[in-house]
Amino acid sequence: MLEQLTKIVQELGQDAVVKNDAIPNDKNEAVLEETSNSIFSSLKDIANGTDFSEIVGLLQGKDIEKSNPTIQKISSAVSNSLSQKLGIDATTASSTAASMIPKILSSLIGKANNPKDTSINLSGLLDSLTGGDSPMHASIMDAIDTYGVHFGLDQNSDGKIDFEDAKELTKKGGLGAMLGKLFGR
């Protein structure tokens, strides 16, 4: 996923970074790379946080604007990273991040939600953000897939536990409610 994100940042960062006189030309590539890394890190932090509805809302692709608190959180992280790691002026870093982040996330989420775009999918995106390629994650997901239907986790009755079920569960009490159902509480 980081590779796809980096491509999107390279593509959409031209106006905000390369054509920005306040960012020295010799730092353009470093700014774009750090932006990718910081966005990815921020998304991972959000996905692994206690409020799963925050990442679900973001991945639905609604309200990807500067005023969205999640977008503001990511923009702030990117801005701080650009200032601290690369010495970019705080005002420049803030305005650059604020102009890029909504466009980048909109493109990333649009690609993930587009069944015709095979470069990235929603499941792969979530796996990247939550450590889905680890053996522990795989075994937990296998157990949820196998036994979750019996515990009422299949919210849309399609015979599988997936992102759509997670979205429904967040509306009904979040991750705690889902785990409570899974463990019989």
Side-chain angles (χ1 to χ4, degrees):
M1 186 207 112
L2 183 56
E3 185 179 315
Q4 291 90 349
L5 177 60
T6 300
K7 286 179 185 177
I8 293 169
V9 170
Q10 292 286 335
E11 180 183 307
L12 298 177
Q14 293 298 309
D15 287 336
V17 175
V18 177
K19 295 179 182 176
N20 187 341
D21 293 335
I23 297 176
N25 288 336
D26 64 331
K27 291 190 177 184
N28 286 345
E29 285 302 313
V31 167
L32 293 171
E33 184 177 331
E34 186 55 36
T35 298
S36 296
N37 291 335
S38 188
I39 291 171
F40 185 70
S41 178
S42 295
L43 289 172
K44 281 181 75 168
D45 289 346
I46 292 167
N48 292 302
T50 57
D51 186 4
F52 196 67
S53 64
E54 191 174 8
I55 196 71
V56 170
L58 187 63
L59 294 178
Q60 287 176 329
K62 299 176 184 168
D63 191 31
I64 301 181
E65 299 174 7
K66 293 177 189 178
S67 60
N68 178 320
T70 304
I71 300 298
Q72 289 175 349
K73 186 186 302 185
I74 295 169
S75 293
S76 177
V78 170
S79 173
N80 289 337
S81 183
L82 294 177
S83 291
Q84 292 172 3
K85 292 182 180 179
L86 301 175
I88 303 297
D89 173 72
T91 304
T92 300
S94 180
S95 65
T96 301
S99 69
M100 282 194 306
I101 302 307
K103 293 174 189 173
I104 291 166
L105 291 177
S106 182
S107 178
L108 178 69
I109 293 163
K111 287 176 175 289
N113 285 316
N114 182 353
K116 294 179 182 177
D117 188 337
T118 59
S119 65
I120 190 166
N121 61 45
L122 204 48
S123 176
L125 179 61
L126 277 175
D127 281 351
S128 293
L129 297 176
T130 61
D133 55 353
S134 72
M136 178 181 257
H137 182 275
S139 62
I140 291 170
M141 292 310 293
D142 288 343
I144 290 173
D145 281 345
T146 302
Y147 303 109
V149 174
H150 304 292
F151 293 102
L153 298 178
D154 184 13
Q155 297 294 299
N156 57 6
S157 302
D158 64 355
K160 61 184 179 185
I161 310 301
D162 56 15
F163 185 67
E164 294 301 318
D165 298 308
K167 286 193 303 191
E168 286 301 314
L169 281 169
T170 60
K171 294 176 188 173
K172 298 177 183 176
L175 188 57
M178 179 183 84
L179 293 173
K181 281 187 174 185
L182 183 63
F183 295 110
R185 294 198 174 171

